[in-house]
């Protein structure tokens, strides 16, 4: 939030396009045998034995992120994570990414270094080769697009959930949305009094969920180790409600979701109380949690029941029975997708 006047500022034009690309990508290492050629030629060359999954996401300043409270290093990290999450949601192993950026000259080299530090950190932690990209100028804000590539022997679609399957979610929900609420509030406070240093101690988990989300690579391995193949799977980027609706719509099924089973971190509950927001609404319609939602056959229940990574939140029904939330008061209400973008509308 605070601009450091002493920070070094190197103009992008000092390096030129090729100098810039070399400078930003010099630390990237190739680890996967499927990468034959990475950065440096007209195109990368890959060689796989398995089926390939590929996914892409575009992040635009002012639409998907606000640089007044998102540090560039975190942005770089998150831009990679959101793509890896999509790869894992296909039950695939992520192996390579490309990174494209459009940047205006209001950004100094040091800003792009921070962005690439985040990208590099994510690539290291998730064991991903960065194999290329594109660099161009923008007249306004920053734009970043990541494409992720992965491989799988056993992809899982959204469309194969069956009546009586169990509905399972990993981790806990609503944290990223509540983290954003705290950051937005602090931004307003800062505008009024720039000297006021916020005390964010009580919100560390939820702010981290917003600024430094993780993708559930571990779950793909865990499911394999447990010998469980989900019938359908999706990652939670837009909120539980709309993701359940995607699975049900594409699988031609209905579902019962139990409010009391939705996993919430204590910090989400206490922050919801503070902001006077209903925590179930936040879990259903908040977004950016990047957990996995999947369905499994009843017979697989013993394999997952003791694992703290998983919450069984409901089950799949026939399409004719509809999609419902069973509230704590035991009333049955139709599930609605609000999507988190128009959550405040
Ligand atoms: P071309 O003119 O063929 O598009 P570029 O000069 O844009 O080639 O890119 C040269 C090499 O650097 C290519 O391997 C490309 O994939 C890579 N590259 C370009 N920009 C980026 C970036 N922002 N991040 C990672 N790799 C990049
Ligand atoms: Mg290019």
């Amino acid at each position: 939030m605070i601009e450091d006047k002493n920070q070094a500022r190197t103009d992008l034009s000092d390096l030129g396009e090729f100098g810039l690309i070399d400078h930003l990508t010099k630390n990237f290492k190739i680890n996967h045998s499927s990468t034959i050629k990475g950065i440096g030629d007209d195109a990368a060359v890959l060689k796989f034995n398995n089926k390939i999954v590929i996914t892409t996401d575009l992040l635009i300043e002012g639409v998907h992120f606000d640089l007044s409270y998102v540090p560039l290093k975190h942005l770089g990290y998150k831009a990679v994570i959101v793509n890896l999450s999509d790869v894992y949601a296909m039950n695939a192993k992520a192996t390579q990414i490309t990174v494209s950026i459009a940047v205006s000259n209001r950004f100094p080299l040091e800003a792009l270094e921070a962005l690439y530090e985040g990208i590099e950190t994510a690539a290291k932690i998730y064991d991903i080769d960065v194999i290329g990209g594109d660099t161009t100028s923008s007249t306004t804000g920053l734009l970043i697009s990541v494409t992720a590539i992965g491989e799988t022997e056993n992809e899982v679609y959204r469309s194969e959930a069956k009546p009586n399957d169990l509905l399972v979610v990993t981790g806990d929900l609503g944290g990223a949305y509540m983290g954003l609420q705290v950051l937005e509030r602090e931004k307003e406070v800062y505008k009024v009094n720039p000297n006021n240093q916020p005390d964010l101690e009580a919100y560390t988990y939820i702010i981290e969920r917003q600024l430094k989300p993780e993708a559930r690579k571990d779950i793909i391995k865990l499911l394999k180790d447990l010998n469980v193949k989900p019938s359908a799977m999706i990652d939670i980027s837009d909120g539980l409600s709309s993701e359940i609706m995607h699975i049900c719509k594409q699988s031609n099924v209905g579902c019962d979701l139990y409010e009391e089973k939705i996993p919430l971190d204590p910090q989400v509950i206490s922050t919801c109380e503070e902001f006077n927001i209903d925590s179930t609404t936040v879990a259903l319609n908040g977004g950016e949690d990047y957990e996995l939602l999947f369905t499994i056959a009843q017979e697989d229940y013993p394999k997952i029941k003791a694992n703290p990574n998983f919450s069984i939140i409901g089950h799949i029904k026939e399409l004719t029975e509809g999609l419902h939330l069973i509230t704590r008061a035991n009333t049955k209400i139709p599930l609605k997708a609000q999507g988190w973008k128009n959550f405040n509308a």
Side-chain angles (χ1 to χ4, degrees):
M1 273 188 225
I2 300 143
E3 211 174 300
D4 183 353
K5 301 278 185 302
N6 298 320
Q7 223 162 20
R9 247 196 95 94
T10 312
D11 260 15
L12 290 180
S13 53
D14 290 355
L15 282 104
E17 186 194 332
F18 302 121
L20 177 65
I21 295 170
D22 282 349
H23 183 80
L24 294 176
T25 62
K26 63 177 187 284
N27 291 331
F28 291 136
K29 299 206 171 44
I30 298 303
N31 290 318
H32 289 275
S33 57
S34 53
T35 308
I36 309 291
K37 174 73 185 172
I39 292 170
D41 216 303
D42 298 311
V45 180
L46 308 177
K47 188 178 168 74
F48 291 97
N49 299 317
N50 285 323
K51 282 179 273 193
I52 307 307
V53 301
I54 181 156
T55 177
T56 195
D57 261 302
L58 178 60
L59 299 175
I60 295 174
E61 184 179 354
V63 179
H64 302 104
F65 57 90
D66 181 339
L67 289 177
S68 56
Y69 52 72
V70 178
L72 280 156
K73 185 176 171 181
H74 288 76
L75 178 65
Y77 191 87
K78 185 167 175 174
V80 176
I81 294 305
V82 301
N83 279 276
L84 300 185
S85 181
D86 282 323
V87 172
Y88 302 137
M90 295 303 292
N91 197 39
K93 175 182 152 190
T95 44
Q96 287 92 4
I97 57 169
T98 63
V99 180
S100 297
I101 54 172
V103 52
S104 75
N105 55 15
R106 98 177 138 89
F107 291 94
L109 174 66
E110 288 73 16
L112 293 188
E113 282 174 348
L115 183 76
Y116 268 74
E117 223 180 288
I119 292 168
E120 198 184 329
T121 304
K124 243 185 224 150
I125 291 175
Y126 287 84
D127 187 23
I128 306 296
D129 293 346
V130 182
I131 56 159
D134 201 19
T135 308
T136 182
S137 58
S138 145
T139 48
T140 51
L142 175 68
L143 185 153
I144 172 164
S145 174
V146 175
T147 297
I149 296 161
E151 59 179 315
T152 181
E153 287 168 359
N154 232 344
E155 74 274 23
V156 172
Y157 295 103
R158 299 174 176 186
S159 55
E160 307 299 320
K162 300 283 179 296
N164 297 321
D165 281 357
L166 300 175
L167 194 55
V168 186
V169 69
T170 64
D172 52 72
L173 302 174
Y177 181 82
M178 289 317 293
L180 183 64
Q181 299 315 300
V182 171
L183 290 167
E184 295 270 8
R185 181 178 69 184
E186 294 313 319
K187 181 182 167 184
E188 293 310 312
V189 171
Y190 177 81
K191 273 191 202 157
V192 178
N193 182 3
N195 294 321
N196 187 26
Q197 281 299 323
D199 180 8
L200 299 176
E201 187 113 354
Y203 312 106
T204 46
Y205 176 69
I206 57 175
I207 288 175
E208 186 155 315
R209 293 285 281 174
Q210 170 58 225
L211 291 183
K212 193 175 171 288
E214 303 293 350
R216 298 310 304 258
K217 177 183 181 179
D218 57 326
I219 298 297
I220 302 314
K221 179 173 187 300
L222 181 58
L223 289 172
K224 195 174 177 194
D225 292 347
L226 294 170
N227 196 23
V228 173
K229 191 194 174 198
S231 44
M233 185 152 60
I234 189 168
D235 74 320
I236 302 192
S237 50
D238 293 334
L240 181 61
S241 189
S242 65
E243 314 304 359
I244 290 179
M245 294 182 85
H246 283 309
I247 286 186
C248 287
K249 181 154 191 253
Q250 297 201 24
S251 299
N252 279 312
V253 293
C255 75
D256 277 351
L257 166 68
Y258 290 86
E259 181 181 21
E260 63 180 358
K261 305 283 188 194
I262 298 173
L264 300 171
D265 185 85
Q267 223 172 69
V268 171
I269 295 169
S270 60
T271 312
C272 280
E273 278 168 9
E274 188 187 332
F275 279 74
N276 205 8
I277 309 179
D278 176 52
S279 57
T280 301
T281 308
V282 167
L284 289 176
N285 305 310
E288 303 197 293
D289 288 315
Y290 302 107
E291 296 293 343
L292 292 171
L293 172 73
F294 57 90
T295 56
I296 59 167
Q298 293 262 359
E299 65 199 42
D300 282 334
Y301 172 67
K303 299 183 196 165
I304 70 151
K305 68 173 182 194
N307 197 298
N309 286 291
F310 302 126
S311 300
I312 295 148
I313 55 173
H315 48 261
I316 299 297
K317 311 265 279 187
E318 296 289 349
L319 178 64
T320 51
E321 300 197 57
L323 284 69
H324 292 97
L325 175 72
I326 318 294
T327 67
R328 285 196 190 86
N330 208 22
T331 52
K332 205 166 174 169
I333 56 173
L335 207 58
K336 281 199 219 75
Q338 281 178 290
W340 93 296
K341 302 258 147 48
N342 41 29
F343 190 51
N344 285 321

